[in-house]
Amino acid sequence: MTSTRAWISYTIVRLLAFALPCAGIMLALPTWEWNWLLGVGIGALVSALVSYLFLREQRQAMTAGMIARREAKHASDVRGEDELAEDEALDGAAESSLEHDVPKDPSSDDTAADDADKLDEELAPATEDVEPVEQRPDPEDVVPAHTSSLEIAPSDR
């Protein structure tokens, strides 16, 4: 069986295996509000079972076709000797330019310590620039300006 024929027969059988039970449930329970949900669930279940039990040959043919297409695509992607030599030359040129850009070891340089001190000074908090925050009274210590009607003791009547 060819891959295209397997795709077509597999798709048609799966659609029929879904649509027939779904339509049957919806026609059998026309007054129930959720008949469509039950029909979709049972249709999906029947379609999966039919595919698993009876459509093995089509699935294998489709898989073989996908593998063949993938291998053909990768076979056409093979590069020749000229392209490989060019890649090696470019990689070698890139590595040599990287060797010239490598920074010196900071522990052997005296300016590294000076730079670290400057960075510490920049990151240290400046205490003279900070304004003090106003001290606000604690909400629990505040005496209410008026009394609530709930706090007034009931009068003796």
Side-chain angles (χ1 to χ4, degrees):
M1 178 176 287
T2 65
S3 177
T4 306
R5 183 178 222 156
W7 277 98
I8 292 171
S9 64
Y10 183 83
T11 303
I12 289 173
V13 172
R14 281 293 301 259
L15 285 174
L16 287 174
F18 173 79
L20 293 177
C22 182
I25 293 293
M26 291 180 70
L27 291 174
L29 303 170
T31 58
W32 190 42
E33 181 179 347
W34 297 98
N35 66 350
W36 63 271
L37 186 61
L38 183 65
V40 167
I42 291 178
L45 182 66
V46 168
S47 175
L49 288 173
V50 166
S51 170
Y52 183 73
L53 296 175
F54 302 113
L55 300 177
R56 176 185 305 245
E57 183 180 328
Q58 286 85 355
R59 281 197 319 269
Q60 289 175 345
M62 290 187 310
T63 304
M66 287 189 288
I67 290 172
R69 269 185 257 129
R70 186 173 183 171
E71 288 175 353
K73 181 181 177 182
H74 288 297
S76 66
D77 194 29
V78 175
R79 298 183 300 168
E81 292 181 23
D82 292 338
E83 292 174 347
L84 293 175
E86 181 183 355
D87 288 345
E88 289 177 15
L90 290 174
D91 290 341
E95 288 176 4
S96 65
S97 67
L98 289 177
E99 291 174 0
H100 297 295
D101 295 340
V102 174
K104 296 179 189 176
D105 185 20
S107 63
S108 65
D109 195 5
D110 292 334
T111 59
D114 294 337
D115 290 343
D117 291 337
K118 288 179 185 177
L119 183 62
D120 287 340
E121 290 173 6
E122 289 176 10
L123 295 177
T127 55
E128 61 273 355
D129 294 341
V130 177
E131 295 180 15
V133 178
E134 293 180 16
Q135 293 292 329
R136 295 195 175 130
D138 188 12
E140 294 179 0
D141 296 337
V142 175
V143 178
H146 68 287
T147 56
S148 163
S149 61
L150 297 175
E151 296 175 358
I152 300 175
S155 62
D156 295 331
R157 291 189 186 183

